[in-house]
Amino acid sequence: MNSKRLYHLSVSLIVAVSIWFALILLSSLSLSPGINRFLQAFGGSFGGFVHAIIYTAFIFGVLEIVSYRKFIRKQNEGFGLNVLPVEDQLVLSPDEVARIKISVMDLEKHGFSFMLTDFIKRACTQYRNNQSISETLQVLNVQIDNSKTELEGRLEIARFLINAIASLGFIGTILHLAGSIGLFHLAKTEEGMPLITQSLNIAFDTTFIALFLGLILSYFYHRYLEEIDTFYSKMKSHIIDNLISRIYKQQS
């Protein structure tokens, strides 16, 4: 586990436990039955330990997705460097393609390194090696597709957490239902019914909270996938339209 992911996990655990204990404290101080019931639904009791686990998984997943969304948004800044010409009807000679590569390398030396500049440099190198526009385009497509697959693969943990949160909700429900069954012998006593009712409430609240948070995490995840698709599509079109399709080699 890399340091950033370990940091996200630590923050998630601390925040989730803090939320849980804050809910317990507020629930103990609340005088209104309605407010108290609301707080308990979100884990405001010592029986809501599964809620704390769910909160940990949810916050961890959000932090992972937000981190990669920031990365993609940072990569979009590469388009602002204007490395490639965008004028209509402009063509590029092989020498001009070589100069573009040199300018990109110079930018990277000064700290302006982006995925866009890297793929432009690769395309220029590929064309220099074989002087074939079709092969350059084919290699570029393969490289971009591989890069996209690798970036999507980094969020395998987020896909796991979306399913895990729902599973944790069902596990919490089963645990508290089992606890309620164990209290049935107290059903005829005055103090027994509130205990059974509270345990049943927590059981179904756990599933509700898990499904609700899983839905939110799934939204963030699919928004990230949308941003990946948009970025790679834009990058591929930019390189093809402003570099590869402009190359013109005079026939000797």
Side-chain angles (χ1 to χ4, degrees), residues 20-31:
W20 180 36
F21 280 110
L23 289 170
I24 293 174
L25 179 61
L26 291 174
S27 178
S28 64
L29 297 176
S30 175
L31 299 177

Side-chain angles (χ1 to χ4, degrees), residues 96-122:
E96 289 172 322
V97 173
R99 283 195 290 270
I100 288 175
K101 178 182 177 180
I102 293 173
S103 66
V104 169
M105 294 174 66
D106 186 59
L107 285 171
E108 291 181 339
K109 289 179 181 178
H110 289 83
F112 296 98
S113 180
F114 299 93
M115 294 177 67
L116 175 63
T117 57
D118 182 55
F119 281 114
I120 291 173
K121 184 174 63 177
R122 292 186 190 186

Side-chain angles (χ1 to χ4, degrees), residues 22 25 39 54 76 121 124 162 166 196 199 217:
L25 179 61
L39 294 172
I54 292 172
N76 276 287
K121 184 174 63 177
C124 292
I162 291 171
I196 296 173
S199 186
L217 185 60

